[in-house]
Tab-separated table of all heavy atoms in Angstrom:
chain	number	residue	atom	x	y	z
Q	53	MET	N	-0.321	19.374	16.964
Q	53	MET	CA	1.079	19.086	16.665
Q	53	MET	C	1.496	19.624	15.303
Q	53	MET	O	2.687	19.658	14.985
Q	53	MET	CB	1.324	17.579	16.730
Q	53	MET	CG	1.073	16.967	18.100
Q	53	MET	SD	1.294	15.166	18.142
Q	53	MET	CE	3.037	15.014	17.814
Q	54	LYS	N	0.512	20.012	14.485
Q	54	LYS	CA	0.816	20.537	13.156
Q	54	LYS	C	1.032	22.052	13.168
Q	54	LYS	O	1.316	22.646	12.124
Q	54	LYS	CB	-0.315	20.199	12.189
Q	54	LYS	CG	-0.567	18.702	12.047
Q	54	LYS	CD	-1.766	18.416	11.162
Q	54	LYS	CE	-2.077	16.918	11.104
Q	54	LYS	NZ	-3.273	16.628	10.297
Q	55	GLU	N	0.879	22.680	14.323
Q	55	GLU	CA	1.107	24.117	14.430
Q	55	GLU	C	2.584	24.426	14.210
Q	55	GLU	O	3.449	23.569	14.408
Q	55	GLU	CB	0.661	24.615	15.799
Q	55	GLU	CG	-0.822	24.426	16.081
Q	55	GLU	CD	-1.195	24.825	17.501
Q	55	GLU	OE1	-0.283	25.302	18.221
Q	55	GLU	OE2	-2.359	24.648	17.883
Q	56	PRO	N	2.909	25.626	13.770
Q	56	PRO	CA	4.320	25.992	13.564
Q	56	PRO	C	5.144	25.744	14.814
Q	56	PRO	O	4.760	26.131	15.920
Q	56	PRO	CB	4.250	27.483	13.218
Q	56	PRO	CG	2.873	27.674	12.671
Q	56	PRO	CD	1.983	26.723	13.427
Q	57	ALA	N	6.238	25.038	14.651
Q	57	ALA	CA	7.071	24.674	15.799
Q	57	ALA	C	8.171	25.702	15.993
Q	57	ALA	O	8.771	26.183	15.038
Q	57	ALA	CB	7.675	23.295	15.577
Q	58	ASP	N	8.428	26.020	17.253
Q	58	ASP	CA	9.494	26.973	17.546
Q	58	ASP	C	10.503	26.395	18.533
Q	58	ASP	O	11.309	27.124	19.099
Q	58	ASP	CB	8.910	28.286	18.085
Q	58	ASP	CG	8.025	28.055	19.319
Q	58	ASP	OD1	7.950	26.908	19.791
Q	58	ASP	OD2	7.412	29.034	19.791
Q	59	SER	N	10.444	25.071	18.781
Q	59	SER	CA	11.399	24.464	19.700
Q	59	SER	C	12.757	24.368	19.023
Q	59	SER	O	12.864	24.254	17.807
Q	59	SER	CB	10.921	23.076	20.130
Q	59	SER	OG	10.831	22.220	19.013
Q	60	THR	N	13.806	24.383	19.804
Q	60	THR	CA	15.161	24.331	19.235
Q	60	THR	C	15.630	22.904	19.023
Q	60	THR	O	16.488	22.662	18.175
Q	60	THR	CB	16.151	25.063	20.161
Q	60	THR	OG1	16.070	24.487	21.473
Q	60	THR	CG2	15.821	26.538	20.237
Q	61	GLY	N	15.098	21.963	19.777
Q	61	GLY	CA	15.517	20.573	19.622
Q	61	GLY	C	14.700	19.860	18.550
Q	61	GLY	O	13.482	20.017	18.470
Q	62	ARG	N	15.377	19.086	17.705
Q	62	ARG	CA	14.687	18.340	16.652
Q	62	ARG	C	15.176	16.896	16.639
Q	62	ARG	O	16.358	16.621	16.858
Q	62	ARG	CB	14.935	18.962	15.276
Q	62	ARG	CG	14.297	20.322	15.070
Q	62	ARG	CD	14.555	20.815	13.656
Q	62	ARG	NE	13.951	19.932	12.672
Q	62	ARG	CZ	14.501	19.629	11.503
Q	62	ARG	NH1	15.687	20.126	11.186
Q	62	ARG	NH2	13.888	18.838	10.647
Q	63	THR	N	14.250	15.982	16.373
Q	63	THR	CA	14.588	14.570	16.228
Q	63	THR	C	13.967	14.039	14.947
Q	63	THR	O	12.796	14.313	14.660
Q	63	THR	CB	14.080	13.740	17.424
Q	63	THR	OG1	14.802	14.101	18.604
Q	63	THR	CG2	14.282	12.242	17.170
Q	64	VAL	N	14.742	13.284	14.188
Q	64	VAL	CA	14.249	12.613	12.994
Q	64	VAL	C	14.161	11.128	13.295
Q	64	VAL	O	15.136	10.521	13.764
Q	64	VAL	CB	15.178	12.870	11.787
Q	64	VAL	CG1	14.827	11.941	10.631
Q	64	VAL	CG2	15.077	14.324	11.344
Q	65	VAL	N	13.000	10.541	13.058
Q	65	VAL	CA	12.784	9.105	13.257
Q	65	VAL	C	12.717	8.450	11.883
Q	65	VAL	O	11.848	8.791	11.072
Q	65	VAL	CB	11.488	8.830	14.037
Q	65	VAL	CG1	11.309	7.330	14.248
Q	65	VAL	CG2	11.494	9.560	15.377
Q	66	LEU	N	13.629	7.527	11.614
Q	66	LEU	CA	13.663	6.826	10.328
Q	66	LEU	C	13.348	5.355	10.542
Q	66	LEU	O	13.938	4.704	11.410
Q	66	LEU	CB	15.033	6.973	9.667
Q	66	LEU	CG	15.459	8.396	9.282
Q	66	LEU	CD1	16.814	8.364	8.584
Q	66	LEU	CD2	14.418	9.055	8.399
Q	67	VAL	N	12.433	4.833	9.732
Q	67	VAL	CA	11.967	3.455	9.866
Q	67	VAL	C	12.393	2.648	8.639
Q	67	VAL	O	12.099	3.030	7.503
Q	67	VAL	CB	10.433	3.401	10.014
Q	67	VAL	CG1	9.968	1.959	10.219
Q	67	VAL	CG2	9.976	4.281	11.173
Q	68	ASP	N	13.097	1.569	8.867
Q	68	ASP	CA	13.509	0.656	7.795
Q	68	ASP	C	12.277	-0.127	7.337
Q	68	ASP	O	11.718	-0.913	8.107
Q	68	ASP	CB	14.584	-0.288	8.340
Q	68	ASP	CG	15.203	-1.180	7.269
Q	68	ASP	OD1	14.619	-1.276	6.173
Q	68	ASP	OD2	16.254	-1.782	7.547
Q	69	ASP	N	11.846	0.087	6.085
Q	69	ASP	CA	10.680	-0.647	5.589
Q	69	ASP	C	11.075	-1.636	4.493
Q	69	ASP	O	10.256	-2.042	3.672
Q	69	ASP	CB	9.593	0.308	5.091
Q	69	ASP	CG	10.004	1.073	3.828
Q	69	ASP	OD1	11.166	0.931	3.412
Q	69	ASP	OD2	9.157	1.800	3.281
Q	70	SER	N	12.349	-2.053	4.495
Q	70	SER	CA	12.812	-3.015	3.495
Q	70	SER	C	12.224	-4.386	3.782
Q	70	SER	O	11.705	-4.667	4.864
Q	70	SER	CB	14.344	-3.075	3.504
Q	70	SER	OG	14.811	-3.560	4.748
Q	71	GLY	N	12.337	-5.278	2.801
Q	71	GLY	CA	11.786	-6.620	2.935
Q	71	GLY	C	12.375	-7.385	4.101
Q	71	GLY	O	11.742	-8.297	4.633
Q	72	SER	N	13.583	-7.015	4.526
Q	72	SER	CA	14.232	-7.711	5.626
Q	72	SER	C	13.441	-7.595	6.921
Q	72	SER	O	13.395	-8.537	7.715
Q	72	SER	CB	15.644	-7.149	5.820
Q	72	SER	OG	16.287	-7.774	6.909
Q	73	VAL	N	12.827	-6.444	7.169
Q	73	VAL	CA	12.057	-6.262	8.398
Q	73	VAL	C	10.555	-6.362	8.172
Q	73	VAL	O	9.787	-6.541	9.120
Q	73	VAL	CB	12.380	-4.905	9.061
Q	73	VAL	CG1	13.817	-4.852	9.514
Q	73	VAL	CG2	12.090	-3.746	8.133
Side-chain angles (χ1 to χ4, degrees):
M53 298 177 65
K54 301 176 184 177
E55 298 175 3
D58 56 5
S59 62
T60 56
R62 292 182 63 217
T63 292
V64 168
V65 181
L66 297 182
V67 183
D68 187 345
D69 68 355
S70 64
S72 178
V73 295

